[in-house]
């Protein structure tokens, strides 16, 4: 059975060339807030065409569909992670972060890897994601403030300008440690 349960890691990287998923440069998002990872890959919208002289639907055409989207929170408020998500200003030694003055969307590659289930891990890859970030949660004595991010998959292009897949997934075997 190919089933998916729980998130093991979320990784971000600069986008690759020609619409390909990058192979290096990934930064792991750690301390993922419990139950904060949400993902939606909506089905294709349908346009139903009806005609005056016949009952029912005559044709079904493809319509516009929202892109795959995701959202998550990380309890890791490190300056480096904030700067990665916000693209603001950080001081030497990453001791202080200042938010950017312009609101912009950042484009990064993202990879979600599930926890193992029945010897397999699910790996979802989005080569170009439009990402925005924020800070959420309350300042309370029994909770943590978190970096939040949400994004949408975009459709990248190859060297010829042709659209390539906006996302894909695979199942990989879990390798057991020796010993």
């Amino acid at each position: 059975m190919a089933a998916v349960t729980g998130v093991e890691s979320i990784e971000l990287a600069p986008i690759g060339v020609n619409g390909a998923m990058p192979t290096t440069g990934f930064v792991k998002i750690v301390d993922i807030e419990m139950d904060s990872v949400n993902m939606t890959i909506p089905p294709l919208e349908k346009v139903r065409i009806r005609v005056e002289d016949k009952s029912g639907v005559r044709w079904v055409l493809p319509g516009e569909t929202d892109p795959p989207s995701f959202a998550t929170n990380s309890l890791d408020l490190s300056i480096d992670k904030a700067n990665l998500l916000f693209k603001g200003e950080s001081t030497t030694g990453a001791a202080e972060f200042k938010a950017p003055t312009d609101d912009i969307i950042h484009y990064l590659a993202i990879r979600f890897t599930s926890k193992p289930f029945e010897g397999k891990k699910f790996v979802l890859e989005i080569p170009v994601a439009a990402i925005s970030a924020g800070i959420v949660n309350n300042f309370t004595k029994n909770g943590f403030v978190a970096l939040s991010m949400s994004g949408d998959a975009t459709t990248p292009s190859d060297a010829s300008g042709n659209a390539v897949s906006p996302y894909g997934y695979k199942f990989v075997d879990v390798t057991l440690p020796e010993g």
Side-chain angles (χ1 to χ4, degrees), residues 7 10 12 29 31-39 70-75 85 110 112 132-134 136 146-151:
V7 66
I10 300 171
L12 298 167
I29 302 298
D31 295 329
I32 300 162
E33 187 175 34
M34 184 67 77
D35 298 327
S36 75
V37 180
N38 294 296
M39 189 176 328
F70 58 87
T72 189
N73 297 336
S74 168
L75 302 179
L85 294 174
I110 188 164
F112 295 88
S132 63
V136 296
L147 284 174
S148 68
M149 78 169 159
S150 64

Side-chain angles (χ1 to χ4, degrees), residues 143-163:
F144 290 97
V145 172
L147 284 174
S148 68
M149 78 169 159
S150 64
D152 295 319
T154 65
T155 303
S157 299
D158 64 15
S160 300
N162 298 315

Side-chain angles (χ1 to χ4, degrees), residues 11-143:
E11 300 165 286
L12 298 167
I15 58 175
V17 294
N18 298 328
M21 192 70 181
T23 57
T24 61
F26 282 94
V27 173
K28 188 177 277 192
I29 302 298
V30 296
D31 295 329
I32 300 162
E33 187 175 34
M34 184 67 77
D35 298 327
S36 75
V37 180
N38 294 296
M39 189 176 328
T40 302
I41 301 176
L44 177 65
E45 293 289 324
K46 294 176 273 198
V47 177
R48 294 173 179 90
I49 306 297
R50 299 172 193 278
V51 294
E52 292 289 336
D53 58 337
K54 294 184 175 111
S55 64
V57 174
R58 181 80 169 126
W59 294 282
V60 177
L61 302 176
E64 291 293 318
T65 298
D66 288 334
S69 63
F70 58 87
T72 189
N73 297 336
S74 168
L75 302 179
D76 178 8
L77 288 169
S78 71
I79 303 300
D80 290 337
K81 297 289 171 53
N83 200 43
L84 172 70
L85 294 174
F86 286 99
K87 301 283 193 246
E89 178 185 328
S90 62
T91 60
T92 304
E96 182 180 354
F97 171 77
K98 292 184 180 179
T101 56
D102 296 322
D103 292 328
I104 59 174
I105 300 292
H106 306 292
Y107 291 89
L108 296 167
I110 188 164
R111 177 169 52 208
F112 295 88
T113 303
S114 75
K115 292 182 178 177
F117 183 74
E118 294 184 347
K120 301 276 187 189
K121 290 182 185 180
F122 170 84
V123 180
L124 173 74
E125 296 179 325
I126 300 173
V128 182
I131 296 175
S132 63
I135 297 177
V136 296
N137 295 343
N138 298 320
F139 282 97
T140 61
K141 65 181 179 179
N142 62 351

